[in-house]
Amino acid sequence: MTRRAPIEDINEDNLVVTKPKKSAAGVEAVLVALDRGFAQAGVPRTAKALLRLNQRDGTDCPGCAWPESQGHRKTAEFCENGAKAVAEESTLRTVTPAFWAEHSIEELATKTEYWLGNQGRITHPVVIRPGDTHYSQISWNEAFELIGERIRATVPDRTVFYTSGRTANEAAFLYQLFARSIGTNNLPDCSNMCHESSGSAMNATIGIGKGTVSLEDIHQAELILVVGQNPGTNHPRMLSALKECKDNGGRVVAVNPLPEAGLFNFKDPQSVSGLIGDGTALADEYLQIKVGGDLALFQALGHLLLEAEERVPGSVVDAEFVAANTQGLDEYRAARTTIDWAETEKATGLTAVEISTVAQMMIDSTATIICWALGLTQQPHSVNTLKEIINLLLLQGNFGKPGAGACPVRGHSNVQGDRTMGVWEKPKEPMLAALDKEFGIESPRTHGLDSVDTVAAFENDDVDVFVSMGGNFALACSDTVALEAAMQRVGLTVHVSTKPNRSHIMHGTTSLILPTLGRTDTDDKHPGGRQVLSVEDSMSVVRTTQGRLDPVSEHLLAEPVIVARMASATLGDDHVIDWKAMADDYDVIRDRISQVLPGFTDFNARLKTKNGFVLPNPPRDTRSFATDIGRARFTVSPLEYLTPPAGHLILQTMRSHDQYNTTFYGLDDRYRGISGGRRVILIHQDDATELGFADRDMVDVISTFQGEERRANEFRLVVYPTPRGCAAAYFPEANALMHRELVARESNTPGYKAMSVRFIAHEAAKSAPLT
């Protein structure tokens, strides 16, 4: 074990491929988690952090947004990847001004995100100005003065405020307030790139963009469909909830292109059977669907459910619920009366028998939950696909009763809370009116830029100031090569960050890096002493989070303080809003929030209760639906699926088990049997043979969209049990292949699960120019 930062970067020649695993978690997960923590932060610091992780008076995990139990909590209330996230944040490795003096931008541009992130926590604010080759230290006062000067020198809509999902509620609220006080709704966030399709589909059909279930509902469900999701890596604590569902007699159906270990067997490391036994079998049925075939699957299920209802009236459809709460059943029934099974099988890669088996499971269930994640949200027809899920749930009355509902499984911790706090480029009038009344400002009403629009704005030179509250915009977005070039033309980029990342290197002509406290750090530099923040989980529970570790540098500032000082430097100390009062005492922020946002009345008092509080959710709470028609809406969509050109495959992006978004914890994707490298393409043996390639061939990958091509070089083909016609590669390495206009209709979410790609042998690449 060592706390020294790695000297060597990724060497793709070290790629090792073994057989995929058939179970998730277990003893190995515990050992890996502890090893990463000890290597980064040492034993005492790791133990102090982990023992308070997700406890009632402790730190909310900086990883995923899966909820905690409202009842008894275990001593180890975290998963392997949560422990890795804490290790990354609690590390004792530091990036001091000496690091920036030693490494030029030219050198750092050759490093991978793995190397950059593993250097450690940034200790001082730094700046790079036109003509500089290195970042150098700057005082906080100078940094804020520079930000204020540059924002005042441009017009509001040429300033962009991006945020990742890690930002706590109080900082997010101040952030959007600052943007709107300046006069812009340019508030893109990571939601635009992941679950925006979920919100677009659900708001239109059930009147809310959030999930309608609780953790207890997961435990009580008779049937859970887990679709387009890899919980073993991306939401490991969900496996415990699925196990409890199974223990209670529930059944699970997994629908996913890749046979992920976490879908099949869970070895609970906190139980005897998980440590030394066979674990718990999770999926009763597994549908290995083609990428993009889910819309066809859900339409087929709807056809079969309605067919069964026609045979035995009252056996499937909850007629009372439908009559009282919905509109559009007749049109939906007419659309699902017939089905082309040959085309359905072509679209899905499934047989009619496989689909019928799952349909019967739904017919037999009186309480069904459908869960989904990015496998469904990042395709051109994603919104229609998700509307079909809502159709199925409405048909059987699976809202507002125990064990039933819609469950979009959010990714980053507090990504849902940021949206609740108003970080959105398309704010609704009631929220803006309440904001204006409370603070005496005049918020802009014109919609701003989302993440995809911001990429276009960069390329069109329409951005003068870009502020990023966390995140790694340059690496997370599509059209990587063009985006990085465009970001370097921006006048000022500002990054509120904990560790170095690629966006710091692809900087504007002037760039600031402002080091901030992490979720695990104590925040006690305030007149009233230590401060507490709040977050909202994937199931609308708002709770406290407070760090317990001593920060690695005395020069770090908390995110709410950074936002407030940016605002004061820009708008002046005599501004109508007292920014300093809110930075000094977060209770003041929460009192103001309670006057603006529905559901937050008595915010401070309710936050201090044992489990926090749950925000209102009309479909779940009262079976009411706040759509424009006051009812839930059945919808009809045409059959649509992904059909690549001849000689191409459909490529989806994925994360490794040693990764969270653009952060690489290590190089071991052990559940898939891949380690040591990341530039791989998972491909079916028959597809490789048909295209003239063999396992481990080195290729350059070319994507095709609307007559344009993108290229990413030097990927290794790995034969893997993918569906025919489908391939997979790691995010963000494959982002260079993504055309920024390949998006989901309505939501504008990037189509990371919908790329058409072909391969050229790497040696032949130079003789094959792009069209």
Side-chain angles (χ1 to χ4, degrees):
M1 294 184 294
T2 176
R3 296 177 205 166
R4 295 181 59 188
I7 297 174
E8 299 299 324
D9 208 335
I10 301 174
N11 181 349
E12 295 291 339
D13 290 338
N14 294 333
L15 176 70
V16 175
V17 179
T18 58
K19 289 184 179 181
K21 291 187 178 295
K22 297 181 179 180
S23 63
V27 175
E28 187 173 12
V30 176
L31 297 176
V32 169
L34 294 177
D35 178 71
R36 298 294 175 82
F38 297 162
Q40 291 267 12
V43 176
R45 191 170 169 90
T46 297
K48 187 175 183 180
L50 293 181
L51 288 174
R52 303 312 308 159
L53 193 62
N54 292 326
Q55 302 298 338
R56 288 185 172 85
D57 60 347
T59 306
D60 186 71
C61 180
C64 81
W66 190 255
E68 287 75 51
S69 170
Q70 298 296 84
H72 171 72
R73 296 192 186 177
K74 302 172 184 176
T75 300
E77 192 67 43
F78 55 88
C79 68
E80 175 192 346
N81 278 359
K84 290 177 184 175
V86 167
E88 287 283 312
E89 187 173 276
S90 61
T91 183
L92 290 172
R93 301 171 185 171
T94 54
V95 174
T96 66
F99 170 89
W100 300 109
E102 180 182 354
H103 300 285
S104 69
I105 292 298
E106 183 179 11
E107 177 195 350
L108 293 175
T110 67
K111 303 297 186 181
T112 68
E113 193 64 23
Y114 169 72
W115 188 93
L116 291 170
N118 270 288
Q119 300 311 301
R121 292 286 297 274
I122 303 169
T123 61
H124 296 70
V126 292
V127 64
I128 193 165
R129 303 178 192 272
D132 289 350
T133 58
H134 295 68
Y135 277 100
S136 60
Q137 188 175 346
I138 186 174
S139 73
W140 279 107
N141 284 340
E142 289 178 295
F144 291 128
E145 288 173 5
L146 176 58
I147 293 168
E149 173 190 314
R150 293 296 184 89
I151 292 177
R152 290 193 303 271
T154 188
V155 296
D157 282 338
R158 291 183 65 87
T159 300
V160 176
F161 296 88
Y162 174 75
T163 183
S164 77
R166 192 187 64 81
T167 304
N169 287 330
E170 292 75 11
F173 185 79
L174 289 190
Y175 198 57
Q176 62 83 30
L177 179 62
F178 176 32
R180 292 182 172 118
S181 296
I182 291 170
T184 184
N185 283 315
N186 288 344
L187 283 157
D189 72 335
C190 58
S191 288
N192 299 147
M193 293 184 273
C194 55
H195 269 288
E196 199 68 54
S197 296
S198 300
S200 296
M202 295 171 71
N203 274 303
T205 54
I206 60 172
I208 191 170
K210 301 179 181 183
T212 66
V213 301
S214 67
L215 184 58
E216 289 68 30
D217 286 323
I218 298 286
H219 300 159
Q220 298 170 28
E222 293 180 22
L223 178 65
I224 298 177
L225 274 65
V226 181
V227 192
Q229 183 188 357
N230 176 17
T233 287
N234 299 330
H235 313 91
R237 285 188 298 144
M238 184 179 179
L239 300 180
S240 297
L242 293 175
K243 176 183 181 297
E244 186 156 348
C245 172
K246 296 282 294 191
D247 290 345
N248 292 333
R251 296 193 291 175
V252 174
V253 174
V255 184
N256 204 64
L258 297 178
E260 308 286 15
L263 298 173
F264 299 111
N265 187 280
F266 172 50
K267 292 187 174 182
D268 185 354
Q270 301 191 61
S271 70
V272 175
S273 65
L275 291 173
I276 61 175
D278 295 330
T280 300
L282 293 180
D284 296 274
E285 295 290 336
Y286 169 55
L287 302 184
Q288 187 172 28
I289 196 166
K290 285 186 176 180
V291 177
D294 306 273
L295 174 63
L297 169 64
F298 297 134
Q299 289 184 345
L301 290 172
H303 166 77
L304 292 170
L305 263 60
L306 287 167
E307 188 177 65
E309 170 71 13
E310 187 174 342
R311 287 196 302 268
V312 184
S315 63
V316 179
V317 176
D318 186 337
E320 183 178 351
F321 169 84
V322 169
N325 298 288
T326 74
Q327 180 174 306
L329 176 61
D330 290 343
E331 293 82 357
Y332 174 68
R333 181 188 286 114
R336 301 282 77 81
T337 297
T338 60
I339 186 170
D340 184 333
W341 277 110
E343 187 167 20
T344 298
E345 291 182 344
K346 176 184 175 183
T348 62
L350 305 171
T351 67
V353 172
E354 289 177 301
I355 297 172
S356 298
T357 298
V358 173
Q360 188 59 52
M361 295 171 74
M362 296 186 73
I363 292 167
D364 293 341
S365 171
T366 62
T368 298
I369 292 173
I370 302 181
C371 304
W372 69 88
L374 274 59
L376 295 193
T377 65
Q378 296 180 326
Q379 294 153 0
H381 54 288
S382 285
V383 175
N384 284 348
T385 299
L386 299 172
K387 286 179 178 179
E388 291 291 354
I389 286 179
I390 300 301
N391 287 336
L392 293 174
L393 293 172
L394 289 175
L395 204 60
Q396 295 186 281
N398 280 307
F399 289 99
K401 65 182 183 182
C407 183
V409 182
R410 307 286 176 175
H412 217 153
S413 171
N414 211 47
V415 64
Q416 185 162 297
D418 285 2
R419 180 58 57 85
T420 300
M421 290 295 114
V423 176
W424 193 25
E425 77 281 357
K426 299 176 183 176
K428 295 184 178 180
E429 177 59 29
M431 185 265 183
L432 294 179
L435 202 66
D436 291 354
K437 180 180 178 182
E438 175 65 17
F439 290 98
I441 63 173
E442 187 173 341
S443 300
R445 265 54 180 181
T446 303
H447 288 172
L449 302 176
D450 65 14
S451 292
V452 171
D453 294 334
T454 299
V455 173
F458 275 126
E459 294 188 28
N460 293 330
D461 295 326
D462 289 335
V463 181
D464 291 329
V465 179
F466 176 73
V467 184
S468 181
M469 182 64 64
N472 186 357
F473 194 81
L475 208 58
C477 291
S478 51
D479 255 342
T480 310
V481 175
L483 173 60
E484 289 186 350
M487 287 186 72
Q488 295 176 74
R489 299 194 297 269
V490 175
L492 175 67
T493 52
V494 180
H495 301 280
V496 181
S497 304
T498 57
K499 306 179 80 173
N501 66 48
R502 181 73 175 177
S503 294
H504 302 157
I505 313 307
M506 299 296 115
H507 60 78
T509 56
T510 301
S511 182
L512 289 164
I513 305 175
L514 308 181
T516 187
L517 295 175
R519 189 75 64 82
T520 57
D521 295 325
T522 57
D523 182 5
D524 52 10
K525 294 181 180 179
H526 299 266
R530 183 171 296 179
Q531 297 295 302
V532 173
L533 293 164
S534 67
V535 292
E536 178 187 352
D537 66 30
S538 220
M539 295 177 183
S540 303
V541 179
V542 179
R543 54 156 291 197
T544 60
T545 179
Q546 50 186 315
R548 298 285 176 168
L549 301 180
D550 293 332
V552 295
S553 168
E554 63 180 8
H555 300 284
L556 308 184
L557 293 181
E559 286 183 339
V561 175
I562 292 173
V563 177
R565 291 187 64 179
M566 282 195 293
S568 292
T570 303
L571 300 166
D573 292 332
D574 58 350
H575 188 251
V576 64
I577 298 173
D578 189 345
W579 300 97
K580 185 177 185 302
M582 291 190 283
D584 285 346
D585 185 352
Y586 300 167
D587 280 356
V588 176
I589 305 175
R590 288 186 282 268
D591 283 340
R592 307 301 290 270
I593 290 172
S594 69
Q595 299 299 311
V596 174
L597 299 179
F600 285 88
T601 303
D602 298 326
F603 191 176
N604 276 305
R606 294 164 68 202
L607 192 62
K608 295 173 184 176
T609 58
K610 181 179 179 181
N611 291 314
F613 60 95
V614 183
L615 293 174
N617 190 300
R620 180 194 62 209
D621 300 339
T622 59
R623 281 193 156 185
S624 56
F625 303 91
T627 64
D628 56 342
I629 57 174
R631 286 171 167 256
R633 178 184 278 113
F634 282 94
T635 54
V636 175
S637 302
L639 176 59
E640 186 175 352
Y641 51 97
L642 301 174
T643 53
H648 291 66
L649 304 177
I650 294 296
L651 179 73
Q652 65 165 337
T653 59
M654 59 184 182
R655 296 193 306 208
S656 82
H657 192 64
D658 249 357
Q659 172 185 1
Y660 200 85
N661 295 340
T662 58
T663 299
F664 305 158
Y665 305 138
L667 301 176
D668 186 9
D669 194 7
R670 72 172 184 274
Y671 293 156
R672 297 191 184 105
I674 298 170
S675 64
R678 291 184 52 85
R679 297 186 73 83
V680 298
I681 302 285
L682 306 188
I683 184 173
H684 193 282
Q685 175 66 75
D686 293 346
D687 285 327
T689 301
E690 186 174 294
L691 295 172
F693 296 100
D695 188 28
R696 313 302 163 80
D697 276 356
M698 180 71 77
V699 299
D700 291 350
V701 189
I702 298 173
S703 66
T704 303
F705 180 74
Q706 292 186 348
E708 294 186 29
E709 294 183 339
R710 302 284 189 272
R711 174 180 284 158
N713 294 337
E714 296 185 75
F715 279 76
R716 188 79 64 180
L717 295 180
V718 174
V719 168
Y720 200 83
T722 68
R724 283 295 312 271
C726 303
Y730 292 124
F731 167 100
E733 284 82 356
N735 289 13
L737 298 164
M738 261 291 300
H739 194 294
R740 71 164 187 268
E741 294 179 12
L742 174 55
V743 296
R745 298 186 301 272
E746 297 183 51
S747 68
N748 213 32
T749 298
Y752 291 123
K753 308 294 189 290
M755 290 181 272
S756 294
V757 299
R758 60 187 173 90
F759 310 121
I760 297 176
H762 180 57
E763 295 77 6
K766 292 182 179 179
S767 62
L770 296 179
T771 58

